[in-house]
Amino acid sequence: MSAMTECPETTGEFTEVERTVINRLQTGLPLVHLPYKAVADELGISEQVLLHTLQNLLDRRILTRFGPMFHAGEMGGGLTLAAMRIPEQDFENVTAKVNEFDEVAHNYRREHELNMWFVVATEAPDDIARVIAGIESSTGYPVYNMPKEEEFHVHLHFPV
Amino acid sequence: MSISTSRSDENYRLCALDRKLILATQSGLPLVPDPWGALGKELELPADEVLARFQRMQDAGVIRRVAAVPDHYRLGYRFNGMTVWDVRDDAITDMGRQVGELPFVSHCYRRPRHLPYWNYNLFAMVHGTSREEVEDKASQIHDLLGDTCEGHTILYSSAILKKTGLRLRKS
């Protein structure tokens, strides 16, 4: 698989079961014994159908992941947003180098002079500077570090 | 690397077993009827203890939730606009709160400027099924900011280059 994933076309239609599973599972699995069965009962489907639908959505990359969502700040780690200005001819090469860093969690191409935007997450706050310096020396381009100075709101939910 | 990643007493201290559970699930929770039992088998822990540790980490906020992370493009939210605003420093906290309360804003942060390349200090993420929808939402933010805002732009994403979620290093 190439390092770059082009913006995929929308798949448009989901089955009713898929729609229900996508909407329900974005809000969180209950932490109980047989949690998938608990959600399946709630949705009025069988546990097997739920697990199968979930696996299928992951295989089709409709869902990028199903699992614990960590809060780096609460874990005592470092978290920042960083941007780079990369000439077009170097873009793919730099993407590969930046993505090689385990600490780079998300990386997006954006339509702007600053055209690469990524999140750096580290176990210790002091590691942010080390990772940024590492990316600068590996790629040869400056990194603009934009840590959050105040958080006003985080609410991620995409109903379908 | 030390096992405790915590610097202040306010933070939950991850112990070695918590850390192993995170490593075992950071690419995903097992898709089997008894995921806690499956993890317990892998780590030689009783299923009850696995579940209790997840509960504790979630209560402490280390884990926001155990959930599905969608590729929002594939859900039809093809237009992901990072709207960025140059807001007067004396107004940013108040305006940031107001912008964050708009129902269609998924993330909202104050971040530093980097002059001369970057003079925007307020970031509000807006998703839509069309560019017009994102622009309409951005104009609502613009109206709200009024004369506290001295410039803005929208950075649309054109490709996801990587999306793995937060990861602990294995070493």
Side-chain angles (χ1 to χ4, degrees), chain B residues 6 11 13 16 31 37 42 47 53-54 62 65 68 79 82 101-102 108 119 123 125 132 138 144 158 162 164 171:
Chain B
S6 169
N11 285 329
R13 301 183 86 82
L31 295 184
E42 196 181 323
R53 284 177 179 277
F54 270 98
V62 174
R65 59 188 180 275
F79 296 87
M82 185 169 77
E101 279 170 19
L102 293 170
C108 187
N119 56 345
F123 287 55
M125 193 63 77
E132 292 69 34
L144 181 60
S158 49
K162 185 176 186 184
T164 54
S171 54

Side-chain angles (χ1 to χ4, degrees), chain A residues 3-12 14 22 25-36 47 51 54-55 58 60-77 79-81 85 91 95 98-114 116-117 119 121 123 125-127 130 144-160, chain B residues 1-3 5-7 10-12 14 19 22 25-36 47-48 51 54-55 58 60-78 80-82 92-93 96-97 100-103 105-112 114 117-118 120 122-123 125 127 131 153-171:
Chain A
M4 287 206 5
T5 313
E6 293 303 327
C7 173
E9 288 300 311
T10 173
T11 50
F14 295 110
I22 293 167
L25 287 182
Q26 286 184 70
T27 63
L29 192 73
L31 299 183
V32 296
H33 285 288
L34 307 181
Y36 297 111
E47 182 185 47
L51 285 168
L54 189 49
Q55 184 64 61
L58 286 164
R60 285 156 60 203
R61 308 278 307 145
I62 305 291
L63 302 178
T64 58
R65 205 167 71 84
F66 180 79
M69 299 171 72
F70 302 107
H71 188 302
E74 294 295 332
M75 286 166 78
L79 185 67
T80 196
L81 177 70
R85 195 171 58 256
F91 197 86
T95 300
V98 170
N99 288 355
E100 258 175 37
F101 285 79
D102 285 343
E103 296 89 346
V104 171
H106 307 162
N107 189 358
Y108 282 82
R109 178 177 180 130
R110 292 192 179 277
E111 299 168 9
H112 189 267
E113 192 188 338
L114 292 179
M116 186 181 290
W117 289 79
V119 169
E123 277 198 57
D126 298 347
D127 287 342
R130 179 184 55 74
Y144 297 92
N145 185 15
M146 304 196 198
K148 74 176 177 197
E149 295 177 324
E150 263 181 277
E151 175 174 313
F152 300 113
H153 183 71
V154 181
H155 176 78
L156 261 185
H157 189 246
F158 300 97
V160 293
Chain B
M1 182 154 297
S2 81
I3 282 158
T5 60
S6 169
R7 285 195 314 169
E10 289 159 30
N11 285 329
Y12 180 78
L14 287 181
R19 201 171 177 286
I22 290 175
T25 56
Q26 59 190 355
S27 54
L29 194 74
L31 295 184
V32 296
D34 179 13
W36 323 117
D48 284 345
L51 179 54
F54 270 98
Q55 186 69 60
Q58 186 165 298
V62 174
I63 293 174
R64 287 182 193 268
R65 59 188 180 275
V66 178
V69 182
D71 179 332
H72 47 75
Y73 287 116
R74 293 183 196 246
L75 295 191
Y77 291 84
R78 294 189 57 209
N80 152 354
M82 185 169 77
I92 180 102
T93 297
R97 285 191 190 128
E101 279 170 19
L102 293 170
V105 169
S106 64
H107 302 257
C108 187
Y109 300 108
R110 177 164 70 92
R111 298 185 184 277
H114 285 272
Y117 296 112
W118 191 257
Y120 306 107
L122 183 69
F123 287 55
M125 193 63 77
H127 299 265
R131 228 170 241 258
T153 190
I154 305 176
L155 284 77
Y156 289 99
S157 74
S158 49
I160 299 175
L161 307 172
K162 185 176 186 184
K163 189 172 184 181
T164 54
L166 306 183
R167 299 247 166 168
L168 293 185
R169 288 160 65 90
K170 291 204 176 62
S171 54

